[in-house]
Amino acid sequence: AQSVAQPEDQVNVAEGNPLTVKCTYSVSGNPYLFWYVQYPNRGLQFLLKYITGDNLVKGSYGFEAEFNKSQTSFHLKKPSALVSDSALYFCAVRGGGSARQLTFGSGTQLTVLP
Amino acid sequence: DTAVSQTPKYLVTQMGNDKSIKCEQNLGHDTMYWYKQDSKKFLKIMFSYNNKELIINETVPNRFSPKSPDKAHLNLHINSLELGDSAVYFCASSPITNTIYFGEGSWLTVV
């Protein structure tokens, strides 16, 4: 069975500072890893994904994530946080092959303080 | 030109009623999904269809019945609604083994 852990329910960071939202995963085979963002009363918006290739993946709105196979992690990062980045962030994993099911972490509420 | 659209966005209904949520995607994807987000924001897959065929059916009460008339539509019908069914229901779609795109959600409140 595949699973995702987001160890922090809440992350607070000052505007302009770098931010990191942590994610670790467990899956059989090669992982397909995703980050989504959810603003209040909205759907999930795709930010970025790792399928294969370069371990550092760049996505929307200046976000990036680093795949670390040995630590089974896929932390989301941004060099300089904006107040508008405040939202709920979800990490998700799906196994390779025919498995299409996307398993989500419990979400991390990011608050960027002005 | 919304990619994954679902209606209604908000639905308030009484216990025991039957309701449907409709979903359509114009991305040409083969696979569609229904996810449920509970009050703690936890997301869990309910169903997945590929080319109108059911491929994932998680442990969901049989009061919930998905229907896929074609590969661009996946509707969710719920019978005999219960208070615990109150949640946000997300429709989504994807090409095979690739990024899943979500609709804006349907907020269901059972009173």
Side-chain angles (χ1 to χ4, degrees):
Chain A
Q2 55 196 41
S3 65
V4 177
Q6 293 182 242
E8 300 156 318
D9 291 337
Q10 175 83 40
V11 169
N12 296 328
V13 64
E15 187 174 29
N17 283 2
L19 69 86
T20 298
V21 182
K22 295 180 180 177
C23 171
T24 58
Y25 66 90
S26 174
V27 69
S28 299
N30 294 323
Y32 291 35
L33 293 156
F34 302 81
W35 276 100
Y36 288 83
V37 59
Q38 185 179 24
Y39 296 98
N41 298 321
R42 301 295 303 276
L44 280 79
Q45 295 180 30
F46 168 72
L47 276 180
L48 51 80
K49 67 182 177 185
Y50 172 83
I51 304 297
T52 186
D54 193 348
N55 288 345
L56 185 63
V57 178
K58 294 188 184 296
S60 306
Y61 312 121
F63 284 92
E64 58 189 28
E66 186 165 13
F67 170 64
N68 188 315
K69 187 173 183 178
S70 63
Q71 297 185 3
T72 61
S73 67
F74 189 56
H75 301 331
L76 181 70
K77 300 181 180 184
K78 187 173 182 180
S80 179
L82 300 172
V83 173
S84 57
D85 293 330
S86 298
L88 185 59
Y89 290 81
F90 289 96
C91 181
V93 68
R94 76 197 309 186
S98 62
R100 299 185 179 91
Q101 181 178 348
L102 196 62
T103 299
F104 284 88
S106 54
T108 298
Q109 180 66 48
L110 172 68
T111 300
V112 181
L113 304 168
Chain B
D1 59 346
T2 305
V4 182
S5 59
Q6 51 184 112
T7 56
K9 182 164 177 124
Y10 299 102
L11 181 57
V12 180
T13 188
Q14 290 186 326
M15 278 181 11
N17 283 354
D18 303 338
K19 290 295 179 185
S20 293
I21 305 172
K22 296 184 177 181
C23 179
E24 175 182 6
Q25 56 97 1
N26 62 4
L27 296 166
H29 292 161
D30 294 324
T31 307
M32 294 187 72
Y33 313 79
W34 278 106
Y35 278 82
K36 180 179 179 180
Q37 186 174 44
D38 63 23
S39 59
K40 295 184 178 180
K41 306 295 185 183
F42 188 70
L43 281 155
K44 186 173 171 60
I45 190 166
M46 300 173 69
F47 302 102
S48 174
Y49 270 72
N50 179 252
N51 284 321
K52 302 195 303 175
E53 291 190 20
L54 182 65
I55 56 171
I56 294 175
N57 183 352
E58 292 295 307
T59 306
V60 176
N62 57 15
R63 298 181 294 103
F64 290 78
S65 54
K67 288 182 172 51
S68 182
D70 56 60
K71 76 172 193 177
H73 296 82
L74 180 62
N75 303 322
L76 183 65
H77 189 75
I78 315 170
N79 289 328
S80 303
L81 278 156
E82 301 177 356
L83 293 177
D85 297 332
S86 296
V88 185
Y89 294 86
F90 287 103
C91 179
S93 73
S94 75
I96 292 176
T97 64
N98 212 326
T99 306
I100 295 180
Y101 294 92
F102 287 82
E104 288 291 295
S106 293
W107 271 253
L108 173 65
T109 302
V110 183
V111 297

